Amino acid sequence: MAETIAPPRQIEDMLQTSNEQRIKLFSLVEGLALLAVMLILLVAGNGQQVQIGLSICAIVGTMLAVTFALRRSRYVEWLIYVNLASITLMLSLTGPIIGEVDGSVWVLFQVPPLIATIVLNTSRATTVICVASSIILSIIIGGELAGFIPIKFLVPKSALLINFFCQLLVLGIIATTVHLLVGRAKRAFAVVAKTEAKLAQQLANERELALQREQLNAQLSQSLAEISQRDSQIQAEQAAQAALRDQLRQLSLPVIPVLKQTVVMPLIGEQLANSSEGIEETLLNGISQHRAKIAILDVTGVPTIDTELGRRLIQATAAARLLGVQTIIAGIRPEVAQTLVSLGIDFSSVTTVASLQDGVAMAIKRLGLG
């Protein structure tokens, strides 16, 4: 499973602690720093130095208590600055209070900027404390070296001056380093934020595409179901239409036995247009079913006979003749006869009569029933 990337804003939130968390962390770090100062004074200092050191710790502890009491204040960050600056001030006043200085405790001046960096976690905090410490050191130590503050020097002034500039250099290095590290972190956060935004956009696009695919699949499935249903309906309609056409064909082209071995197939004009192709098949089936010897095609109900219908009538009579059946076409009216002549349709090979009654009479005569 792939690890999830924490958004840059969440990373910054983790780094930028709340006021109360800052106070807790600051109290812990400053308390440890005060403890370290006390241990150094107890080990390396005399009775007066220990007394002064305890006084300094008491003053700084009091300020720390005030800061903790105002931990929900919007100015808590600046209260922390005051606390850290006071530590620098108290450390720098150690020499004037004791009356002698050797620069041995000046290394502790680097502690406040480090505490600011750890607690506040911003380059601004480190810069503020470094600048404040530099100003305080320059005033106090400069006054000592210039003779404005009377004090006994336990080491040469040149050594103290070098030590003093080294302390200023270290403070500058701390501020610059923290500034560069924070700037690099911000640039890294910017890159991560940009990458995260791209990943989020890609993820959103992929989710949208997935949703669209799901919708398209659902629509496709629905369309396929509808097509299948329509297919089934069309097939059912086609089957019904075929059955209906068959019924219509049977109704429009019935083969009726009227005498022994004689059938009549009446043709009806309007229905004949849709069923004329089945004349031959229907006639042959009727002849076979009734074992007829004579078949009468009654066209009385046909208003006119065109070339196609005439051709099919001739084909039907020819097919019946091959089965040994005599065919008679009854009901050809004068106007129909004229049409047939004008179309060039030859019915000379087929027996024709004027009416169905004449056709039945001819069948009786041929069968010897009369």
Side-chain angles (χ1 to χ4, degrees):
M1 182 177 180
E3 296 182 357
T4 57
I5 301 176
R9 185 59 186 171
Q10 294 181 1
I11 297 175
E12 291 180 354
D13 291 341
M14 289 188 290
L15 293 177
Q16 300 295 337
T17 56
S18 65
N19 287 347
E20 292 196 25
Q21 290 174 326
R22 289 178 179 180
I23 294 302
K24 292 179 181 179
L25 183 59
F26 173 71
S27 300
L28 176 62
V29 175
E30 187 170 0
L32 293 175
L34 291 176
L35 180 60
V37 171
M38 291 176 61
L39 291 176
I40 292 173
L41 292 173
L42 289 173
V43 172
N46 53 33
Q48 186 180 7
Q49 291 175 339
V50 172
Q51 184 179 1
I52 294 175
L54 292 176
S55 300
I56 292 175
C57 291
I59 295 174
V60 174
T62 302
M63 296 185 66
L64 179 60
V66 173
T67 302
F68 186 81
L70 299 176
R71 61 187 179 276
R72 292 185 176 87
S73 172
R74 57 187 295 186
Y75 303 107
V76 65
E77 181 177 338
W78 292 100
L79 290 174
I80 294 176
Y81 292 162
V82 173
N83 273 270
L84 295 175
S86 67
I87 293 176
T88 302
L89 179 61
M90 294 304 173
L91 289 174
S92 63
L93 291 176
T94 303
I97 293 174
I98 297 175
E100 56 186 24
V101 63
D102 59 1
S104 60
V105 297
W106 290 0
V107 69
L108 297 177
F109 295 153
Q110 301 167 18
V111 173
L114 296 178
I115 294 176
T117 302
I118 295 173
V119 174
L120 299 178
N121 199 24
T122 61
S123 60
R124 180 183 65 182
T126 306
T127 302
V128 169
I129 297 303
C130 286
V131 171
S133 298
S134 299
I135 294 173
I136 293 171
L137 291 176
S138 298
I139 294 174
I140 303 300
I141 297 177
E144 293 173 353
L145 295 175
F148 296 110
I149 300 176
I151 197 168
K152 179 181 179 181
F153 297 101
L154 301 180
V155 295
K157 287 186 178 182
S158 59
L160 291 177
L161 187 61
I162 293 173
N163 192 351
F164 168 65
F165 283 115
C166 287
Q167 298 303 321
L168 295 181
L169 178 62
V170 170
L171 292 176
I173 292 174
I174 291 175
T176 303
T177 302
V178 172
H179 179 76
L180 293 176
L181 290 176
V182 171
R184 181 177 296 179
K186 288 182 178 179
R187 288 192 295 271
F189 287 151
V191 173
V192 173
K194 187 176 181 180
T195 304
E196 180 68 16
K198 289 182 179 179
L199 291 176
Q201 184 63 37
Q202 291 177 358
L203 182 60
N205 292 338
E206 290 177 359
R207 289 177 178 174
E208 184 177 358
L209 290 175
L211 180 60
Q212 291 177 356
R213 283 196 296 269
E214 290 179 0
Q215 292 176 350
L216 290 176
N217 289 336
Q219 293 176 358
L220 181 59
S221 299
Q222 184 178 359
S223 299
L224 290 176
E226 292 176 356
I227 291 174
S228 178
Q229 183 178 3
R230 291 176 184 174
D231 231 10
S232 301
Q233 292 177 353
I234 291 173
Q235 291 178 359
E237 291 175 357
Q238 289 176 345
Q241 290 176 0
L244 182 61
R245 283 197 299 269
D246 187 60
Q247 292 177 358
L248 289 175
R249 184 165 55 88
Q250 292 178 2
L251 290 174
S252 61
L253 299 174
V255 178
I256 304 170
V258 292
L259 297 172
K260 182 179 180 181
Q261 297 181 335
T262 302
V263 293
V264 175
M265 182 177 177
L267 305 179
I268 301 173
E270 294 181 356
Q271 295 178 345
L272 190 62
N274 297 324
S275 59
S276 61
E277 295 182 358
I279 293 176
E280 180 179 345
E281 180 182 356
T282 304
L283 178 62
L284 297 179
N285 290 335
I287 291 172
S288 176
Q289 180 180 359
H290 298 291
R291 298 185 179 184
K293 297 295 183 181
I294 298 176
I296 303 174
L297 299 177
D298 182 16
V299 296
T300 305
V302 179
T304 183
I305 299 178
D306 56 12
T307 304
E308 181 63 22
L309 179 57
R311 183 179 63 80
R312 292 188 180 278
L313 290 175
I314 293 174
Q315 287 179 349
T317 57
R321 192 181 307 114
L322 292 176
L323 296 178
V325 177
Q326 301 178 33
T327 57
I328 301 172
I329 296 179
I332 296 181
R333 300 184 303 279
E335 60 271 18
V336 173
Q338 291 178 355
T339 301
L340 294 176
V341 172
S342 63
L343 293 175
I345 300 175
D346 185 9
F347 274 82
S348 59
S349 61
V350 182
T351 302
T352 59
V353 293
S355 64
L356 176 61
Q357 184 178 0
D358 293 340
V360 172
M362 183 176 291
I364 292 173
K365 182 178 180 181
R366 291 185 177 180
L367 293 173
L369 300 177

